[in-house]
Amino acid sequence: MVILWDLDGTIQDSETLAKAGTRHGFQQVLGREPTPDEFEQLIGRPVPVVYKEWFDDNLATRILDAGTRFYQEHSHQILCYSEITELLYELKLRGYKMGIVSSKRRFHVINELESKGLDVLFDVVVAQEDTLQHKPHPAPLLLAARSIGVPPEDCIYIGDQPTDIQAGKAAGMSTIGALWGDGNVKRLQSACPTKMACVPTDILDFLSQR
């Protein structure tokens, strides 16, 4: 069984900083803050893709660049959720292959994993640039499975948003809704994951039953 992970809101607590970066980009370029609806539409989707739906290319680039600079300057503040690091090392010790599938740009993903010493735990990283379609489309997850060399049905995808669960199900994988971070029970239940996990160690219970 291969374990694939979403990154933000599942492994690390980056949502507050991501929102601050988005807010900074809007304020610097547009002179206003994002609306609650705009923040909602950004959840679980690549920010550059959404910006290009809202703005012309030049404006989208300026807002993204301003927000990215702010995010990078403060990215050292991002921490993993409690018990996650220990769980990842335990899973690696038990021989599980693992991967990251994130809608975030690759340089962010790699830098943030390396800064925590977690990059050595993952056999594959699929980031925003690696596929034309993004979650909830299954393409990123299918690429991760192919890269490791296993069929999708031998994979579990763990994420905190309905788009994670929808992508995993569309790929033919088992799915786990993560509730210890940014996951919301009602939102995740609407996507019908295989299992819900209240704390990271629930993952071990699920694996022992397979």
Side-chain angles (χ1 to χ4, degrees):
M1 183 63 65
V2 170
I3 306 170
L4 302 176
W5 295 83
D6 172 51
L7 181 61
D8 297 312
T10 303
I11 287 178
Q12 62 179 21
D13 185 5
S14 55
E15 184 62 24
T16 299
L17 180 58
K19 280 189 172 183
T22 300
R23 189 177 292 111
H24 180 81
F26 270 60
Q27 289 172 333
Q28 291 293 303
V29 179
L30 300 177
R32 68 172 178 87
E33 292 196 359
T35 65
D37 181 62
E38 286 170 333
F39 271 129
E40 181 73 16
Q41 291 183 57
L42 286 166
I43 295 175
R45 297 187 64 204
V47 173
V49 173
V50 179
Y51 280 4
K52 287 186 177 182
E53 294 174 357
W54 294 347
F55 311 111
D56 64 55
D57 287 349
N58 177 263
L59 197 57
T61 298
R62 288 170 58 202
I63 298 169
L64 182 65
D65 287 350
T68 297
R69 284 193 298 272
F70 181 93
Y71 183 92
Q72 287 181 286
E73 288 169 1
H74 299 83
S75 61
H76 61 279
Q77 300 173 2
I78 299 173
L79 300 175
C80 288
Y81 291 108
S82 176
E83 301 181 348
I84 279 289
T85 300
E86 296 84 354
L87 173 62
L88 292 172
Y89 274 97
E90 176 64 23
L91 292 170
K92 194 68 174 178
L93 187 64
R94 295 187 185 193
Y96 286 100
K97 289 188 174 183
M98 294 191 291
I100 294 285
V101 181
S102 174
S103 296
K104 179 180 275 185
R105 286 186 286 178
R106 175 169 288 274
F107 74 90
H108 284 312
V109 176
I110 298 301
N111 287 346
E112 289 161 26
L113 290 176
E114 287 180 347
S115 71
K116 300 175 183 65
L118 299 180
D119 54 303
V120 297
L121 301 178
F122 298 101
D123 301 277
V124 64
V125 171
V126 174
Q128 182 186 123
E129 303 93 325
D130 295 319
T131 57
L132 293 176
Q133 291 101 357
H134 306 97
K135 298 181 290 185
H137 195 281
L141 291 172
L142 293 173
L143 175 59
R146 286 198 304 273
S147 299
I148 294 179
V150 295
E153 56 267 26
D154 287 346
C155 298
I156 297 172
Y157 188 48
I158 304 169
D160 67 298
Q161 295 297 325
T163 49
D164 297 319
I165 305 306
Q166 291 160 2
K169 290 172 65 177
M173 300 179 181
S174 298
T175 57
I176 297 179
L179 296 175
W180 56 79
D182 291 327
N184 174 277
V185 174
K186 289 185 178 179
R187 284 171 57 86
L188 282 171
Q189 281 179 337
S190 69
C192 300
T194 308
K195 181 180 176 60
M196 302 276 267
C198 293
V199 295
T201 51
D202 287 344
I203 306 298
L204 294 175
D205 295 335
F206 178 74
L207 291 170
S208 68
Q209 297 167 13
R210 300 213 35 109

